[in-house]
Amino acid sequence: KLLKIQEFGTGRMIPLELNPAQKIVHSVAEAQLKKRGHIRMVILKARRMGISTYVQGRMFHKATTRKNKNVYIVTHSRAATSTMFGMARGFEENLPEEIKPEMKYSGKNEMIWGKLGSQYGLSTSGGREVRGSKIDLLHASEVAFWGDGGGDYLLGILNSVVQGYNTEVFIESTANGTGGVFYERWWDSQNMQDSGWSGVFLP
């Protein structure tokens, strides 16, 4: 409840409290974390269910309460990237001063916390910013809309995720027809007995 989000319709800042869809995702994520020691999730969702908000809040919380956590958010468009970063800035600006970590750098699409050594970065799919980076927590948003080259780009950022415990990857999207990287990832999560990915459908 310490994280604040902008209320849809009114624009006022209110505490982030999980709705039913967010609680489902949280439950599946925590179960996989307990079982495997990490999270790999594919989420097929309807619009405006708050899934991106949940993932943003989860990763922001971990970046600002744990040392040396690198968060990376990738969206399908510049407008979505701007919206995501606005949400992250809202979390940071509205944290109580007594628990707000020291900020080392705050740029257009990046925040770095000095003493924690954690950072939070965002980009649009198809960019080159992430190549060679170390990622602990990855949120790939609206992957069905990444377009040509989306599969190669997703593979590249997944290869940047640190191997080992306590890493988290959330791939989510609304549907966009058959075929493509998100379509394939979703059905792998459903049809492969041990793909390592948990699939959640939120109609």
Side-chain angles (χ1 to χ4, degrees):
K1 292 184 178 181
L2 292 176
L3 295 183
K4 300 290 181 66
I5 60 172
Q6 197 172 67
E7 185 178 41
F8 182 68
T10 70
R12 65 191 181 97
M13 301 304 293
I14 61 172
L16 172 56
E17 296 186 8
L18 300 188
N19 65 31
Q22 292 168 333
K23 288 179 180 178
I24 290 171
V25 173
H26 180 71
S27 176
V28 175
E30 289 300 306
Q32 191 184 48
L33 184 61
K34 183 177 180 180
K35 180 180 179 180
R36 294 181 177 267
H38 62 242
I39 295 171
R40 300 291 185 271
M41 287 187 65
V42 185
I43 305 166
L44 175 58
K45 62 177 188 175
R47 296 186 185 279
R48 302 213 62 85
M49 301 192 85
I51 303 309
S52 291
T53 300
Y54 165 75
V55 178
Q56 287 282 306
R58 180 186 182 95
M59 293 186 173
F60 180 88
H61 171 72
K62 295 203 169 188
T64 54
T65 57
R66 293 164 173 78
K67 291 185 176 181
N68 302 316
K69 290 295 182 184
N70 288 348
V71 178
Y72 204 75
I73 315 297
V74 188
T75 73
H76 64 300
S77 70
R78 290 183 179 179
T81 299
S82 178
T83 298
M84 289 281 193
F85 201 58
M87 189 185 304
R89 282 203 184 280
F91 290 150
E92 198 278 332
E93 290 171 357
N94 289 280
L95 280 178
E97 288 298 326
E98 59 269 23
I99 64 168
K100 185 181 292 189
E102 176 190 355
M103 182 73 73
K104 178 180 179 181
Y105 173 79
S106 180
K108 185 177 180 181
N109 288 318
E110 185 178 33
M111 290 186 286
I112 301 174
W113 291 277
K115 291 182 179 179
L116 284 175
S118 292
Q119 61 185 36
Y120 193 103
L122 298 94
S123 75
T124 304
S125 62
R128 299 182 179 276
E129 301 93 331
V130 75
R131 304 297 179 176
S133 298
K134 163 188 171 290
I135 300 173
D136 299 292
L137 308 168
L138 172 65
H139 178 193
S141 180
E142 293 295 351
V143 175
F145 296 86
W146 282 16
D148 294 340
D152 290 339
Y153 190 70
L154 181 62
L155 180 61
I157 58 175
L158 288 174
N159 286 337
S160 297
V161 176
V162 178
Q163 298 299 310
Y165 290 102
N166 295 317
T167 58
E168 301 186 4
V169 177
F170 290 83
I171 298 175
E172 49 87 358
S173 188
T174 49
N176 188 28
T178 59
V181 61
F182 181 77
Y183 180 88
E184 293 167 0
R185 288 275 173 177
W186 164 255
W187 283 113
D188 283 349
S189 77
Q190 301 301 294
N191 296 332
M192 294 178 64
Q193 186 172 10
D194 191 20
S195 69
W197 293 79
S198 294
V200 175
F201 176 45
L202 298 168

